[in-house]
Amino acid sequence: MSAADKLLNYVTFDTQSDENSETTPSTEKQRKLARALVKECQALGMDEVREKDGTVYATLEANTSEPRTPIGFVAHMDTASELSGANVKARRVERYDGGVIALNEQYAMDPATFPALKKVVGDDLIVTDGTTLLGADDKAGIAIIMQALEEIIRDDAPHGRIAVAFTPDEEIGRGVDHFDLSLFPVEYAYTVDGDRIDAVDYETFNAAQATVSIQGTSIHPGDAKDRMVNAALLAVEFASMLPEDQTPAKTEGREGFYHLVSMEGECESATLTYILREHDAEKFEKQIETIERVRDTLNEKYGDRIEVAVRRQYANMKDYMKGDMRAVERARKAIEKAGLEPVSIAVRGGTDGAMLTQRGLICPNLGTGSYNHHGRFEFASVQQMDRMVRIVRDIVEGE
């Protein structure tokens, strides 16, 4: 099998996570893919294969007496909540000609709208049928790691200890909440969870989720003067008091944002859910202060009706690397060997690696050759996935 074949198999598993669940993993269906990956790792002859708290761990012990740095690779099994990941009907587009790709009668991908397509002209693509997401985020990462392991074992390529981990619940910010570092005995690792394959990224957002709960007073509208307090209107007022130029639709690069993820409300009560993102730690703290200041202003105006709960999700991994660039430099050499010019981008998102780095395991991020994640326009390049398999092999074998 190839990495593309593995991806087509993995996307048949519905592994969508659920931020409203309090279980670990957040959905039991993620364990179905976990069990399949345990069997695959065992069939390859890997060591210490197990599933714990929804995470799959496996190691491949060194096959050479030469001193080599133990390294690891991580990818997540769950898919995003923006669109269903069930009943995925993926198909191949052979030798993409650079034109519009019709997904179904309603949806099509035009390179004018989706510029990532311009990077893969001539490649074979894996696309959706327009009714679901693909799940290449991050099943392409799993496929690349598993294919690289299969080839390393097949070719008896010299290597030090390799550890792999496949995590649940990354999309809801809980991917490594229960990660057992004692089962992952490496000096540093890589998440394979990005898009472009020339990138090795080690700077992410600082991230938090803010839940704004508003309590109103519901009175019959015919007798409500000076008595009704409409929680839904307070929610609108709260949203209007945040910086209107700091939303995802109006920011790029290193610019942070307040993203209103959901808004639910009626006269009696309302809830706003925001995600806060900022690369700079000081600006990130000011975002939290702004949310709390808006709360205080409206509570003074209307009485104590608004509560804000902030849950910090992950931090900018660069701040925790403390200048240790060994993992980054090793990946850059492998990318160069593949004939590419390595780049490092300030990621407008986060990975399991951000939280692992915060816990002391440096874990920069690599690409997968898949693009347009979290929606029906997601696709993967077969050729870029193959090149990424080679890059992973060269990271392992290149020391």
Side-chain angles (χ1 to χ4, degrees):
M1 293 177 71
S2 66
D5 293 329
K6 289 180 171 61
L7 173 60
L8 288 169
N9 175 38
Y10 299 152
V11 300
T12 65
F13 291 81
D14 176 14
T15 57
Q16 193 173 57
S17 48
D18 179 5
E19 67 177 354
N20 296 313
S21 169
E22 296 182 359
T23 65
T24 301
S26 65
T27 54
E28 187 63 24
K29 57 190 177 182
Q30 294 180 74
R31 290 188 188 273
K32 293 182 180 180
L33 179 55
R35 287 192 290 267
L37 290 169
V38 165
K39 290 180 180 178
E40 281 193 53
C41 289
Q42 290 172 334
L44 286 175
M46 297 189 71
D47 307 301
E48 303 297 329
V49 183
R50 71 187 74 187
E51 181 261 314
K52 181 183 179 184
D53 296 321
T55 296
V56 176
Y57 302 89
T59 58
L60 186 64
E61 293 301 330
N63 64 352
T64 175
S65 59
E66 298 176 3
R68 290 183 177 240
T69 304
I71 62 172
F73 296 92
V74 180
H76 65 88
M77 297 179 288
D78 66 317
T79 58
S81 59
E82 284 88 337
L83 196 65
S84 173
N87 301 312
V88 173
K89 298 179 178 62
R91 67 180 176 91
R92 292 184 186 235
V93 175
E94 304 290 340
R95 294 182 295 279
Y96 171 56
D97 63 7
V100 176
I101 301 174
L103 302 179
N104 58 33
E105 293 182 357
Q106 184 177 2
Y107 295 105
M109 282 196 294
D110 188 330
T113 305
F114 301 100
L117 286 169
K118 298 176 183 178
K119 304 175 183 178
V120 293
V121 176
D123 287 1
D124 302 323
L125 307 184
I126 299 173
V127 302
T128 76
D129 69 348
T131 63
T132 68
L133 50 69
L134 178 60
D137 178 14
D138 185 31
K139 291 168 183 172
I142 300 173
I144 288 163
I145 293 169
M146 291 300 294
Q147 183 65 27
L149 287 170
E150 181 180 310
E151 294 181 11
I152 289 167
I153 294 169
R154 178 197 67 198
D155 298 341
D156 196 26
H159 59 82
R161 180 193 296 130
I162 307 167
V164 298
F166 303 120
T167 60
D169 294 339
E170 189 269 358
E171 296 290 0
I172 58 174
R174 298 187 229 156
V176 294
D177 280 4
H178 300 276
F179 196 98
D180 190 339
L181 288 171
S182 71
L183 302 180
F184 203 68
V186 298
E187 289 196 21
Y188 51 79
Y190 303 88
T191 48
V192 186
D193 188 20
D195 46 28
R196 51 190 294 181
I197 63 172
D198 57 351
V200 50
D201 300 323
Y202 58 92
E203 184 173 1
T204 63
F205 275 141
N206 295 284
Q209 177 175 289
T211 303
V212 182
S213 303
I214 304 172
Q215 186 63 47
T217 299
S218 181
I219 302 290
H220 189 287
D223 191 31
K225 183 174 172 60
D226 298 327
R227 300 171 64 203
M228 176 187 287
V229 179
N230 191 320
L233 289 177
L234 263 65
V236 173
E237 187 172 353
F238 190 104
S240 72
M241 293 176 69
L242 294 176
E244 64 178 16
D245 61 343
Q246 294 181 37
T247 65
K250 295 185 177 181
T251 54
E252 61 183 354
R254 294 180 180 274
E255 298 170 333
F257 55 75
Y258 304 79
H259 178 34
L260 180 57
V261 177
S262 66
M263 182 176 184
E264 301 176 352
E266 52 192 20
C267 186
E268 188 73 23
S269 63
T271 303
L272 303 169
T273 303
Y274 285 91
I275 59 173
L276 313 180
R277 299 291 187 265
E278 183 61 69
H279 286 100
D280 181 84
E282 184 175 344
K283 291 180 179 179
F284 177 61
E285 295 302 326
K286 287 182 178 178
Q287 283 187 316
I288 296 174
E289 291 172 7
T290 297
I291 287 274
E292 294 175 340
R293 185 171 63 251
V294 172
R295 173 203 61 194
D296 294 344
T297 299
L298 292 178
N299 276 340
E300 184 176 351
K301 182 178 179 180
Y302 296 103
D304 293 333
R305 295 179 174 276
I306 302 174
E307 295 183 355
V308 171
V310 175
R311 180 171 66 87
R312 294 172 186 262
Q313 296 169 306
Y314 55 85
N316 187 342
M317 71 168 71
K318 182 181 179 181
D319 295 338
Y320 291 86
M321 289 177 62
K322 300 178 181 178
D324 186 347
M325 298 292 284
R326 290 178 298 156
V328 173
E329 293 303 325
R330 185 166 178 168
R332 283 176 174 167
K333 289 178 181 178
I335 291 169
E336 288 174 347
K337 188 173 180 179
L340 302 170
E341 183 67 30
V343 299
S344 294
I345 301 164
V347 178
R348 289 179 64 79
T351 68
D352 283 336
M355 286 172 276
L356 288 173
T357 302
Q358 192 173 1
R359 289 175 59 183
L361 177 66
I362 291 174
C363 194
N365 188 56
L366 305 173
T368 62
S370 65
Y371 301 86
N372 298 345
H373 300 147
H374 291 204
R376 67 185 83 248
F377 302 107
E378 192 177 6
F379 72 88
S381 161
V382 173
Q383 283 76 10
Q384 287 199 10
M385 288 181 67
D386 288 342
R387 292 183 79 180
M388 198 63 223
V389 170
R390 184 66 256 178
I391 288 169
V392 168
R393 288 196 59 174
D394 284 335
I395 290 173
V396 169
E397 301 168 32
E399 189 174 35

